[in-house]
Amino acid sequence: MEQDLGEIKVGFIGAGKMAHGIAQGILLSGKVCPGNVMVSAPSLNNLGKFKDCGVRTTHCNTEVVRVTRVLFLAVKPHIIPSVLQEVSAVITPQHIIISVAAGVTVATLERLLPTGSMVLRLMPNLPCVVQEGALLFCRGTRAGPGEAGLLRELLASCGLVEEGPEAFIDIHTGLSGSGVAYGAGRLLRDSGQHPAQLRADVCTPGGTTIFGLHALERGGLRAAAMGAVEAATERARELGGK
């Protein structure tokens, strides 16, 4: 059932590319106004693009928690413990906490948060920015169908949103989260970015995507793809000469 999102307040701790992609998808729906979204980051580096969208920004993580109900944790996995230690005192039972940190399990999140916190784990991908994302989420022990439905409605404009078992999340990370670097036609077309820039956008140092790309390079995929094109081109010339 579609929910009224008009008054819901959405927060992001972390202002990286994934946070921006999700925020853009949410705002594109028109159901959440920019003034109801707040983002925090320690520096100004990434906050400008959020300000350009009319989103409120701050350097204070606890401020985001205090003024929002739906909270996206969009920081690097190794920062999650320190962030949650910082904000736990202002987390309430009414907050819906959604982590997009790769590899951080629901059990870990629930252990670091106050008892009874409503937690969901989400793996989106960068094509959210052109409404062609593939997003998979799972629920924690206290999050129910209502929270799942709210997340689906909130992210509907980002692309395909599905719920599944947590065991699928890491698989989805490798296939869809990192897969943008291996080929994403519409995102490449609509973003106007060079392919190398698009690849760089999803290659966090030490993250999942860079490891996947290293495996492709090690396996000779680039050379194999070039060889396939060359062979097909040569065969076309041969056929044309007959």
Side-chain angles (χ1 to χ4, degrees):
M1 181 181 295
E2 188 169 314
Q3 303 185 51
D4 181 12
L5 303 178
E7 296 305 316
I8 200 161
K9 304 295 195 299
V10 180
F12 291 85
I13 295 180
K17 295 180 179 68
M18 196 58 73
H20 190 237
I22 296 171
Q24 278 190 301
I26 291 172
L27 294 175
L28 278 170
S29 71
K31 296 175 182 177
V32 178
C33 70
N36 283 346
V37 180
M38 178 177 275
V39 182
S40 65
S43 73
L44 292 170
N45 292 345
N46 293 324
L47 291 179
K49 56 191 176 184
F50 287 93
K51 289 181 179 179
D52 291 343
C53 298
V55 169
R56 293 183 294 163
T57 64
T58 178
H59 296 307
C60 181
N61 293 335
T62 55
E63 182 183 1
V64 172
V65 179
R66 289 181 190 278
V67 302
T68 61
R69 180 188 169 209
V70 177
L71 178 67
F72 287 89
L73 301 174
V75 298
K76 292 181 174 64
H78 70 277
I79 300 176
I80 286 286
S82 61
V83 166
L84 293 186
Q85 183 178 25
E86 176 191 357
V87 304
S88 281
V90 290
I91 294 285
T92 72
Q94 286 70 49
H95 279 101
I96 300 171
I97 301 149
I98 303 150
S99 171
V100 299
V104 181
T105 66
V106 165
T108 297
L109 294 165
E110 291 184 334
R111 177 174 55 82
L112 294 170
L113 285 160
T115 301
S117 294
M118 287 190 287
V119 174
L120 299 99
R121 183 180 171 195
L122 171 72
M123 180 46 60
N125 62 357
L126 199 59
C128 288
V129 301
V130 290
Q131 299 175 282
E132 292 289 348
L135 304 93
L136 180 68
F137 73 92
C138 65
R139 284 183 263 161
T141 55
R142 189 167 177 266
E147 287 71 46
L150 175 63
L151 183 60
R152 283 179 182 275
E153 183 65 21
L154 196 61
L155 300 179
S157 292
C158 292
L160 179 67
V161 185
E162 294 290 345
E163 182 177 3
E166 186 170 24
F168 289 1
I169 296 285
D170 287 339
I171 300 170
H172 182 72
T173 301
L175 178 63
S176 295
S178 300
V180 179
Y182 316 148
R186 183 173 173 186
L187 181 58
L188 182 62
R189 183 195 70 190
D190 291 0
S191 69
Q193 292 180 311
H194 189 278
Q197 180 59 49
L198 179 59
R199 180 182 63 190
D201 282 349
V202 292
C203 283
T204 303
T208 58
T209 308
I210 196 68
F211 273 65
L213 285 174
H214 179 62
L216 291 178
E217 292 288 347
R218 202 168 56 237
L221 177 65
R222 183 183 299 184
M226 291 171 65
V229 173
E230 289 174 353
T233 302
E234 184 57 34
R235 180 57 178 159
R237 287 174 179 155
E238 291 172 358
L239 292 172
K242 288 182 179 180

